[in-house]
Structure formats: structure tokens, C-alpha cells
Amino acid sequence: MNMASTGSSKFLAAGDSRPRNLQDLDFTSTDEPELEFDEDGTELSATKEAELEAELEEELAKDAEGGAFRGGAITPDGYIDEDFEKELGTPSEEEPHNEFSDVERFGIVEVAGDDLYGRKVIVLSACKLPSNKTFDHQRLLQYLKHTLDKYVEQDYVLVYFHHGLHRGNKPKLSWLLQAYREIDRKYKKNLKMMYLVHPTNFIKVLWNIFRPIISVKVGSKMMYVNYLVELKRHLPFDQLAIPQPVLEFDAQKVAKNKLPYPYDGSSGPEPKKAQQFGLSLQEIKQNTGRIIPLPVQDTVEFLKASGADEVKGLFRRCGRVTTMREVQEKYDDGEAVDFESYGDPHLAAAILKKFLRELQEPLMTFDLFEPLTRLHFMEQGKQLTEVQRILKDELPEDNYIILKFVFQFLQQVVDKSDINQMNAENVATVFGPNIAWPKGQANLASVEQAVKFALILIQSFDDVFLR
């Protein structure tokens, strides 16, 4: 596929509703011949496709007897039209603590902070799957659900790196069917996008096989990504947990098609004079003379004045992507933003998260992230003393003022959790990764440490904010 001439026209644009026809996509097997699942290592033959389809039909026949996929009408496109809003079901009871160190150590599933619109990013890497002769894929499914359970009550996205899946580590087709069945409405409702990176013929076959059981809403959230550069339009590329084999494979594809390789950390265009997003706090203060940036002050004041602290699920939902871009452009062009005219508290909440996440350096600074990780190993009393010290002695004054301003409002939100269903843990899960992250790639451990720190700030606000 010559991307130099076609650009990304064969892949979804941000506003498209679902993947293009697969026959229009580039799934040539020459890019990754050793990763296909046929006998000779090239591409899936018609015989192999037929065998896979027959295997799935047998599985579907079993499910049909048990009614596993009841409740949705099949549309002309071949999807099941599920109504997530009406059939959310009751939340499952909290599961007892399980130890997943046997699966977690492979790094197959990672959490990489938030995307550019404030949605959690869950990364799955096929190249990290161990041998299917020894690995328990049922444990992987349990671990995936265990990880998703922490984030499915808010908007999130999935990134699946397909490169590295081969006959020696691929799960059985029946397991894939089971996984789709068990990843139910609870997990699918707030899934906003699934990026399938470096798709091959195997993905094409799976799509054709699973098409009859994939709902309209799930199908509309899938985006094929042939080059990593396409992810930069939607995700904080530098913080993605991209395995080295995937980076190398992508570089080979780029070199083959003679495309620029824009992953060297080079800076983009010069910032605008009034720009707010994507800068450091020092630059914003220099440009505007303000300690608390306008996007922070405007959003918090609007949310306070509008009674948004009683809005159910505040900070879990994102605003419309096009509207968020419009608001950001207004701020960066020096225009005033009137959130009352939009009438959407979720928009203001999402803009606040987006601004914090796009700072060049987190509110808690890179230098303080390592001390934050040590809090986990301390007793509660020592934790409070250490957080007091960090906020009082090490956090820069301007950062402290902004942090206190934001968390004063978050306390107000938590105080009304019986109405808005945003308790301290929920708010910390949302804001932790937006105020603290390490240099380089984020992962599940770093996200959890940030969440624990934010929880301390919320639950012990009066004890730790002493300035």
C-alpha cells in the first residue's frame, strides 16, 4: 500500500462511523508473512477460512441453543442492534481480591493514562503473548476483565497491537468467541474506540466470521491503523506502552513505503501567542500573567455555579470530540469561552481533564513521581506526613495553587456522591493519571500509583493542603 499517494484514506477518519470495507484495506501478507496462521506461513487460504468459519458456526450453534446472543435485532449490515442504554443490567458484586501476577508479568495488558479527549487508554499487545502450549488463556480473560472493571464506568479506548501474533501464541478461535461473549454490555457501553494496529489477513477473516454477532455500536467503534503515526492524532504517543517489536515492524513498513518516520520527538509548529493547551505552566503564566490558567478557572467556576456537582457520572463522560476541539481552538486563539452557551457540564469537565493531561509536565512534576510511588509502601500515618512534606516543600508554588483549586472542587463533588455516584475512589481514578505520570511510557503500575495519590488528596484534603 503506497501511503505516500493515498494517505490514510483507506482507514477511518475521526468522524467515520465504522471500518471501511475490508476489501479496500491493505492486508497484504508480504509485510508479515511469518505471522499468518496457514500451513505455509503466507496468507490464509480459502480452505483455511472455510475451516475457521465451520468451527465458529459449530460454536454459534451451541450458543444459539443456550440463547447466548438473544435480545438484539439483526440489521441489514449483519450486526446485532443492541440497546446498551436499556439493557445495562445490574452491576456485578465486587469480586474478591485475586492475584494475577502470573499473567501480569507478561505485560500483555497495560493502562497508558488518558487519550487526547480524557478517556482511559487500555493497551493489548499480541507480541507479548507467551506460548499457547503453556499459557492459560482463561486466566488472561479473567485478568483482562479484572483490569477493565476499574475503568469501564467511565469512557475508555482500547489499542490492540496485532503484530507478533503467530501460530505459537495465538488463542483458539473458541476462546475468542468466549471472550466476546463474556465482555458484555458492562464493558462495551463506555468503549469509545478500538484501534486495531497493523491488521493482517487474520483480522480480515475474524471480522468476516464474527460480523454476524458484532453489534452495530461495537462495530462502529473499530478503527484500523496501518501506521503508528495515525495514532498520534488521537493518543499521547510518547506515553503509549508500544512494544519494541511493534516499533521496529512499523519502521520497516514506513521505510518500505518511503514515508517520513515522525517519532523522533521533534517539536511541532510554534505555539500561538495566546495558546493554553499543550504548554508548560511556566509558558502559560508568561503569556497570560495568570497562575491559574483560564481553562482550569473557567471550567471549575462553571461547574460550581451550574450545580454540576450533582450531575450523575460527572468526569466519567467526555464531551463531543468536535465540540471539545472547538473549545480548545477558542482558548488557543485567545477567545472567551462561555460554557453556559454549550449547556453541557460533561463538556466543561472533559476540557478540565484534557487541559491537565496535555500539560508538557504534569501538575505534580516529573521529579515528584518517584516519591509518590513510595507512598504505597508506607503506613497511613507516614503517608500523610510524606504527602504534607511533598506539597509543602517540593511542589512549586504555582502548581500547588492550581492543585488545591481543583481538588477543593473535587471534594465538593465527592461530598454529593450519593447523588452523582462519584465517590472518592471514582474521582481519584479519573484525576490521578491527569495530575501525575512518569516520563516515558505509562503503564498499569504507574496509573495505579497516581490514583492512590489522588485518593489521599481527596480523603485527607484538610490534612495535606497546609499552605
Side-chain angles (χ1 to χ4, degrees), residues 111-389:
V111 180
D114 292 3
D115 70 357
L116 300 183
Y117 309 106
R119 304 173 296 198
K120 283 289 174 289
V121 179
I122 314 294
V123 178
L124 293 84
S125 303
C127 68
K128 294 186 177 182
L129 283 168
S131 170
N132 52 23
K133 297 184 185 301
T134 58
F135 186 60
D136 185 352
H137 287 94
Q138 295 302 319
R139 288 283 290 165
L140 173 61
L141 179 56
Q142 294 169 14
Y143 176 61
L144 177 60
K145 292 169 63 177
H146 171 77
T147 302
L148 291 178
D149 280 340
K150 303 174 185 178
Y151 305 105
V152 294
E153 295 302 323
Q154 57 186 295
D155 295 342
Y156 73 102
V157 300
L158 287 174
V159 180
Y160 168 61
F161 294 115
H162 180 61
H163 174 75
L165 191 69
H166 53 81
R167 69 186 68 189
N169 67 0
K170 72 179 180 72
K172 293 181 179 179
L173 189 64
S174 58
W175 181 87
L176 295 174
L177 177 61
Q178 177 193 356
Y180 183 82
R181 181 170 61 239
E182 293 195 19
I183 302 297
D184 55 19
R185 292 178 178 87
K186 169 185 172 182
Y187 303 94
K188 297 170 187 173
K189 174 175 166 50
N190 291 329
L191 174 64
K192 296 306 177 183
M193 187 63 67
M194 180 173 181
Y195 301 96
L196 303 178
V197 184
H198 299 142
T200 63
N201 276 326
F202 180 65
I203 294 292
K204 175 182 178 180
V205 172
L206 283 186
W207 177 262
N208 288 332
I209 290 176
F210 280 90
R211 187 183 181 94
I213 64 172
I214 294 178
S215 70
V216 175
K217 294 183 179 181
V218 172
S220 69
K221 298 171 183 178
M222 297 176 67
M223 178 184 291
Y224 293 97
V225 178
N226 206 23
Y227 295 90
L228 290 176
V229 66
E230 297 176 33
L231 289 178
K232 296 188 75 173
R233 304 170 191 166
H234 311 285
L235 304 172
F237 188 85
D238 293 338
Q239 295 178 31
L240 280 180
I242 304 177
Q244 189 62 31
V246 174
L247 290 169
E248 294 172 356
F249 175 69
D250 190 75
Q252 293 171 5
K253 294 190 67 176
V254 168
K256 179 180 178 181
N257 290 284
K258 298 181 173 59
L259 296 177
Y261 198 68
Y263 314 135
D264 55 4
S266 57
S267 59
E270 287 293 320
K272 301 176 182 178
K273 184 176 181 180
Q275 185 163 331
Q276 301 282 320
F277 287 78
L279 301 180
S280 67
L281 291 175
Q282 293 79 7
E283 289 174 311
I284 297 173
K285 183 179 180 180
Q286 182 178 351
N287 293 340
T288 65
R290 304 179 61 90
I291 294 178
I292 300 179
L294 271 174
V296 175
Q297 181 166 321
D298 289 351
T299 53
V300 171
E301 289 184 350
F302 167 76
L303 292 171
K304 285 181 177 179
S306 62
D309 54 353
E310 297 186 356
V311 172
K312 182 179 178 180
L314 186 68
F315 295 117
R316 281 180 175 171
R317 302 287 178 265
C318 289
R320 298 178 64 88
V321 171
T322 53
T323 309
M324 290 181 66
R325 288 175 181 163
E326 175 187 315
V327 170
Q328 178 175 341
E329 289 175 1
K330 284 185 176 181
Y331 274 121
D332 288 343
D333 289 336
E335 300 179 25
V337 175
D338 180 12
F339 284 103
E340 289 187 8
S341 65
Y342 291 100
D344 181 8
H346 293 296
L347 172 63
I351 289 294
L352 174 59
K353 292 188 299 179
K354 179 176 173 63
F355 174 83
L356 294 174
R357 187 65 190 175
E358 292 190 11
L359 287 171
Q360 289 183 358
E361 184 171 16
L363 202 53
M364 288 305 302
T365 75
F366 288 127
D367 290 340
L368 290 178
F369 189 82
E370 197 276 333
L372 298 185
T373 64
R374 295 198 298 262
L375 295 171
H376 176 65
F377 304 101
M378 298 179 181
E379 298 176 355
Q380 184 175 2
K382 292 183 178 180
Q383 281 184 346
L384 292 180
T385 301
E386 178 63 5
V387 172
Q388 290 171 351
R389 186 193 66 78

